């Protein structure tokens, strides 16, 4: 038998459920709307004109009172002036009412012509002709008032962006002939004069005024355009000097002909640090390995008022620590003409070393060709008028390594020259399209401090394009050649020779483990062989990527090529795929590569590559 208190509780709970149910109906179910007879596009526009559903009896009456006007307005805005609308309301004592709207669209109104006229200074401005050529609206289209409003908005926006601040429409209307179901659009725009850019005033700067003046990418009193101001903003960003940048046209201070520009700047912190992580995981000549990489970059974005900067990179991986510091001095232009001083201590491993095991009649892995390189160099880099980067350099380096149980320490004084250009479809960290080409040549002469006469020639290409929004193609081709006497190959430092393998050349193989090899009698009288690199390099890649979302994509690739000498060429091919996350700091890629071929020194290999950074 139920207790009295439990009965009371049950009654209260039932009452609360009933009240909650009635409240839910009162809030969400006052009116059901059913549209029939119209296309999905028209239905969407009608619902937008009707607005939100009512949530009270008073709002329902007001909603129904305006239904016919709102439906007709929605139809006429999309060119249906002869549509027939039948409205029926079914009332209910309890629960929502039903609104049935039956529509006969009728024949739409067709645009007969589009009359757009300019006057004053904008007649000589090619930007408006380009805008006209990009218009998709044309005679024969169904009239849409939204498209017409967008036309007007685009024209006003372009005029303001080009400095026509006194511009106005002298005529803007749609002339509709309801009998013939035709319409004529008239847009007459009187631009007035085009304003110029006045004085550019900087505030908050911590570098000399001449540096900032060199960053202004337009002549004094140039015609106003937001594109010119955006280029100024981009130049200021590219220097790396500033944490905050605001380029502000002073419309309140404009004269009859010019608009002054105020640039508010705030400096970056004196020091910044950046950490990068990467790893190669898989099997190679060493059977299995994990090769982690940690990179720390220390930057001083502005050392003094002359705009000097420094960047130091320290990279650690097992037995391959690297240190490189670059000090940059701006010359005639802070971005387009720079003098760089570099000092570095680089340790690296190349190829594989194997000893012959007569018992198993096979070669056992014993290590790699190890080197330590010390360098100092001077580079001048200039940006030419056609956006090519041109540079020339002098570098002295000495490298210590042991090859064929013999110690070497060759010195090279290399004179270099290079030119390159990168074009991007956009300025994001994950560009949808772009092309990079780099050409370089270095020369060392035995009479000028180099160990041997050496000429090193390289060419590198990378092409990116995106088709149908989500399908991206990335291709790469790297070629190089060392021109030297055949009997002096051992005197070429390992860092100047060519090796293949790793995420930058042929994925699926270990870092720099592929290339020509030599056999020799080791210090213990046995037979050894060692991959020592080649005089030539040809490697290429073709990768297809598909965007699952805006921030995730999958990819599949084929890499091919090798380092080689004229008498020893073993082309290698690998395939694989992976998943990429487009993070705020750039793409992070997890790829798995599988080698398709065993070479004389390397079994079939597979690797997991974790990399981070933009493709261009």
């Amino acid at each position: 038998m139920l207790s009295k208190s439990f009965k009371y509780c049950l009654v209260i709970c039932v009452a609360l459920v009933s009240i909650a149910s009635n409240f839910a109906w009162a809030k969400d179910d006052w009116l059901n709307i059913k549209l029939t007879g119209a296309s999905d596009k028209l239905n969407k526009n009608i619902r937008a004109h009707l607005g939100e559903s009512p949530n009270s009896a008073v709002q329902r009456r007001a909603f129904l009172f305006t239904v016919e006007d709102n439906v007709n307005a929605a139809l006429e805005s999309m060119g249906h002036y002869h549509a027939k609308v039948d409205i029926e309301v079914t009332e209910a004592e309890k629960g929502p009412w039903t609104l049935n709207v039956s529509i006969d669209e009728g024949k739409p109104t067709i645009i007969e012509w589009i009359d757009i006229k300019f006057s004053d200074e904008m007649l000589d401005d090619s930007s408006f002709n380009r805008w006209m050529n990009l218009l998709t609206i044309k005679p024969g289209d169904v009239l849409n008032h939204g498209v017409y409003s967008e036309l007007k908005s685009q024209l006003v926006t372009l005029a303001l962006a080009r400095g026509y601040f006194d511009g106005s429409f002298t005529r803007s209307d749609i002339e509709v002939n309801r009998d013939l179901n035709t319409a004529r659009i008239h847009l007459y725009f009187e631009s007035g004069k085009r304003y110029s850019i006045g004085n550019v005033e900087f505030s908050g700067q911590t570098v000399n005024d001449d540096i900032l003046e060199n960053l202004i990418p337009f002549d004094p009193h140039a015609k106003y355009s937001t594109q010119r101001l955006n280029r100024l903003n981009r130049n200021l960003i590219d220097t790396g000097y500033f944490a905050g940048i605001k380029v502000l046209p002073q419309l309140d201070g404009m004269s009859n002909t010019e608009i002054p520009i105020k640039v508010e700047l705030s400096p970056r912190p004196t020091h910044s640090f950046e950490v990068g992580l990467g790893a190669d995981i898989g099997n190679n000549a060493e059977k299995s390995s994990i090769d982690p990489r940690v990179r720390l970059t220390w930057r001083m974005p502005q050392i003094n008022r002359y705009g000097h900067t420094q960047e130091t990179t320290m990279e650690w991986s097992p037995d391959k620590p690297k240190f490189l510091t670059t000090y940059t001095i701006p010359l005639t232009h802070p971005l387009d003409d720079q003098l760089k001083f570099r000092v570095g201590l680089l340790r690296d491993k190349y190829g594989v070393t194997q000893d012959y095991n007569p018992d198993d009649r096979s070669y056992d892995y014993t290590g790699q060709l190890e080197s330590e390189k010390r360098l100092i160099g001077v580079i001048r880099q200039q940006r030419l008028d056609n956006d090519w980067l041109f540079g020339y350099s002098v570098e002295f380096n000495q490298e210590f390594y042991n090859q064929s149980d013999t110690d070497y320490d060759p010195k090279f004084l290399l004179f270099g020259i290079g030119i390159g250009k990168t074009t991007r479809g956009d300025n994001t960290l994950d560009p949808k399209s772009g092309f990079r080409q780099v050409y370089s040549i270095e020369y060392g002469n035995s009479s000028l401090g180099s160990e041997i006469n050496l000429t090193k020639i390289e060419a590198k290409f990378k092409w990116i394009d995106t088709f149908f929004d989500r399908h991206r193609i990335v291709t790469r081709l790297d070629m190089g050649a060392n021109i030297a006497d055949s009997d002096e190959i051992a005197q070429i430092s390992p860092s100047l020779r060519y090796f293949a393998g790793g995420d930058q050349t042929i994925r699926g193989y270990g870092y720099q483990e592929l290339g020509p090899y030599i056999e020799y009698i080791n210090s213990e009288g046995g037979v050894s062989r060692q991959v020592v690199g080649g005089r030539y390099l040809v490697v290429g890649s073709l990768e297809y990527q598909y965007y699952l979302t805006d921030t995730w994509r999958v990819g599949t690739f084929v890499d091919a090529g090798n380092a080689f000498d004229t008498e020893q060429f073993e082309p290698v091919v690998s395939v694989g795929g992976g998943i990429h996350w487009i993070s705020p700091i750039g793409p992070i890629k997890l790829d798995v590569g599988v080698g398709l071929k065993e070479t004389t020194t390397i079994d079939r290999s597979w690797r997991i590559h974790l990399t981070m950074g933009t493709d261009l």
Side-chain angles (χ1 to χ4, degrees):
M1 187 173 180
L2 296 175
S3 67
K4 183 180 291 187
S5 61
F6 184 81
K7 289 180 180 178
Y8 290 152
C9 181
L10 183 61
V11 170
I12 292 172
C13 288
V14 171
L16 288 174
V17 170
S18 177
I19 292 171
S21 176
N22 289 334
F23 177 77
W25 163 77
K27 181 178 179 182
D28 301 323
D29 295 325
W30 284 92
L31 186 67
N32 289 332
I33 303 172
K34 295 182 180 180
L35 304 177
T36 58
S39 65
D40 291 342
K41 194 172 183 180
L42 273 175
N43 283 339
K44 185 177 180 181
N45 195 44
I46 290 170
R47 289 189 179 274
H49 274 72
L50 289 175
E52 294 185 0
S53 297
N55 56 19
S56 70
V58 173
Q59 288 187 11
R60 182 171 59 191
R61 285 194 296 271
F63 186 93
L64 294 174
F65 183 77
T66 59
V67 163
E68 185 174 2
D69 290 340
N70 286 333
V71 171
N72 285 324
L75 291 167
E76 291 182 2
S77 71
M78 298 187 69
H80 292 270
Y81 287 91
H82 297 288
K84 296 179 181 180
V85 180
D86 184 21
I87 298 173
E88 181 180 345
V89 178
T90 303
E91 300 181 4
E93 293 183 3
K94 186 176 181 180
W97 293 8
T98 300
L99 170 65
N100 290 294
V101 182
S102 179
I103 302 165
D104 179 0
E105 297 181 2
K107 292 184 179 181
T109 300
I110 304 301
I111 298 175
E112 185 177 14
W113 74 32
I114 304 167
D115 186 17
I116 302 178
K117 293 181 179 180
F118 306 139
S119 61
D120 295 336
E121 289 190 22
M122 69 190 310
L123 287 172
D124 299 323
D125 193 332
S126 60
S127 295
F128 293 91
N129 289 327
R130 288 195 296 268
W131 174 75
M132 290 276 289
N133 293 332
L134 293 174
L135 293 181
T136 57
I137 187 174
K138 60 186 182 299
D141 288 350
V142 175
L143 176 64
N144 188 319
H145 287 251
V147 175
Y148 163 75
S149 297
E150 179 65 20
L151 273 181
K152 291 181 62 178
S153 177
Q154 287 181 6
L155 184 53
V156 171
T157 300
L158 180 59
L160 293 176
R162 299 292 292 172
Y164 300 98
F165 294 99
D166 298 330
S168 62
F169 286 102
T170 57
R171 182 179 182 182
S172 58
D173 58 53
I174 302 175
E175 185 181 348
V176 177
N177 188 324
R178 295 184 180 232
D179 295 332
L180 299 177
N181 275 348
T182 59
R184 299 177 178 181
I185 294 177
H186 303 278
L187 289 176
Y188 299 168
F189 193 83
E190 188 177 86
S191 70
K193 62 179 177 297
R194 184 180 180 186
Y195 285 75
S196 299
I197 298 176
N199 181 53
V200 180
E201 179 184 347
F202 295 92
S203 64
Q205 68 268 32
T206 54
V207 294
N208 289 339
D209 292 341
D210 60 332
I211 293 178
L212 295 176
E213 290 172 1
N214 284 332
L215 292 169
I216 299 175
F218 43 82
D219 296 329
H221 312 296
K223 293 296 185 180
Y224 181 95
S225 76
T226 54
Q227 184 178 16
R228 288 190 167 115
L229 299 185
N230 290 338
R231 285 171 53 199
L232 171 60
N233 187 74
R234 171 53 56 185
N235 284 350
L236 292 167
I237 291 173
D238 289 344
T239 63
Y241 298 153
F242 310 108
I245 300 168
K246 294 181 180 178
V247 180
L248 306 172
Q250 302 298 293
L251 299 181
D252 293 341
M254 60 192 299
S255 66
N256 292 331
T257 57
E258 293 185 339
I259 298 177
I261 307 298
K262 183 178 181 180
V263 182
E264 298 177 358
L265 303 170
S266 58
R268 282 186 180 274
T270 306
H271 303 274
S272 68
F273 298 89
E274 180 181 298
V275 178
L277 302 174
D280 282 350
I281 305 171
N283 78 309
N284 59 359
E286 197 177 353
K287 301 306 181 187
S288 63
S289 66
I290 299 177
D291 187 10
R293 297 192 301 276
V294 180
R295 172 178 293 180
L296 174 65
T297 302
W298 166 42
R299 295 187 179 93
M300 296 180 66
Q302 182 190 332
I303 296 175
N304 53 37
R305 295 191 63 85
Y306 302 102
H308 294 195
T309 64
Q310 78 84 24
E311 178 177 302
T312 299
T313 300
M314 293 163 280
E315 183 174 315
W316 177 89
S317 58
D319 303 318
K320 293 181 289 186
K322 299 179 181 180
F323 168 86
L324 181 65
T325 184
T326 303
Y327 191 95
T328 302
I329 300 174
L331 297 178
T332 61
H333 191 279
L335 293 175
D336 298 341
D337 189 5
Q338 298 177 334
L339 185 66
K340 300 176 182 286
F341 297 90
R342 287 182 178 171
V343 177
L345 175 61
L346 312 177
R347 292 187 177 93
D348 219 332
K349 288 186 175 183
Y350 304 88
V352 296
T353 301
Q354 300 167 328
D355 289 345
Y356 182 70
N357 186 336
D359 296 332
D360 297 336
R361 295 184 178 181
S362 63
Y363 282 86
D364 297 331
Y365 175 88
T366 59
Q368 293 179 274
L369 174 59
E370 302 182 19
S371 79
E372 178 182 299
K373 179 180 180 179
R374 303 167 185 174
L375 68 87
I376 182 170
V378 182
I379 305 166
R380 185 175 185 182
Q381 184 173 285
Q382 297 174 290
R383 185 181 299 277
L384 307 180
D385 292 338
N386 51 11
D387 282 337
W388 283 84
L389 284 177
F390 172 73
Y392 48 93
S393 62
V394 178
E395 179 186 294
F396 174 80
N397 65 70
Q398 184 176 17
E399 200 156 346
F400 303 86
Y401 58 96
N402 182 284
Q403 179 176 310
S404 306
D405 286 345
T406 302
D407 291 330
Y408 294 90
D409 60 347
K411 302 180 181 67
F412 282 91
L413 182 65
L414 298 174
F415 300 88
I417 187 171
I419 191 169
K421 185 177 183 179
T422 299
T423 57
R424 295 169 175 261
D426 54 74
N427 290 321
T428 66
L429 294 174
D430 186 52
K432 301 300 182 185
S433 63
F435 179 61
R436 181 181 68 203
Q437 51 186 322
V438 179
Y439 311 91
S440 65
I441 182 170
E442 292 181 287
Y443 175 72
N445 190 286
S446 58
S447 301
L448 299 175
S450 293
E451 197 74 22
I452 61 172
N453 294 332
L454 174 67
T455 302
K456 186 179 184 69
I457 303 173
E458 292 185 343
K460 299 181 179 182
F461 307 92
K462 198 164 195 176
W463 174 74
I464 298 173
D465 211 344
T466 302
F467 304 92
F468 309 112
D469 293 334
R470 295 189 176 276
H471 304 269
R472 189 172 188 251
I473 300 294
V474 179
T475 61
R476 166 176 49 86
L477 176 63
D478 295 345
M479 299 181 291
N482 279 324
I483 302 173
D485 292 339
S486 299
D487 56 354
E488 295 180 325
I489 298 300
Q491 299 292 334
I492 301 177
S493 305
S495 65
L496 297 176
R497 303 178 205 165
Y498 292 106
F499 297 82
D503 51 49
Q504 299 302 311
T505 53
I506 302 178
R507 286 163 284 191
Y509 292 90
Y511 173 66
Q512 297 190 145
E513 69 178 8
L514 297 172
Y517 68 93
I518 59 173
E519 293 187 348
Y520 61 95
I521 304 300
N522 59 42
S523 57
E524 297 179 356
V527 177
S528 297
R529 66 187 182 193
Q530 187 174 42
V531 174
V532 295
R535 283 185 287 172
Y536 308 102
L537 175 75
V538 176
V539 292
S541 176
L542 174 62
E543 182 166 356
Y544 166 75
Q545 300 168 350
Y546 177 76
Y547 286 86
L548 301 172
T549 67
D550 291 339
T551 56
W552 287 94
R553 70 177 180 228
V554 293
T556 182
F557 61 82
V558 177
D559 296 343
N562 208 345
F564 60 96
D565 288 326
T566 52
E567 69 280 359
Q568 193 179 40
F569 178 53
E570 288 187 89
V572 173
V573 178
S574 72
V575 297
I579 187 165
H580 307 163
W581 173 44
I582 316 304
S583 76
I585 58 175
I588 298 176
K589 308 174 188 176
L590 181 65
D591 291 319
V592 179
V594 178
L596 299 183
K597 180 179 179 180
E598 295 183 1
T599 69
T600 305
T601 56
I602 305 294
D603 295 333
R604 285 192 61 180
S605 175
W606 67 272
R607 304 289 290 181
I608 297 175
H609 302 278
L610 178 63
T611 57
M612 181 175 67
T614 182
D615 286 315
L616 285 177

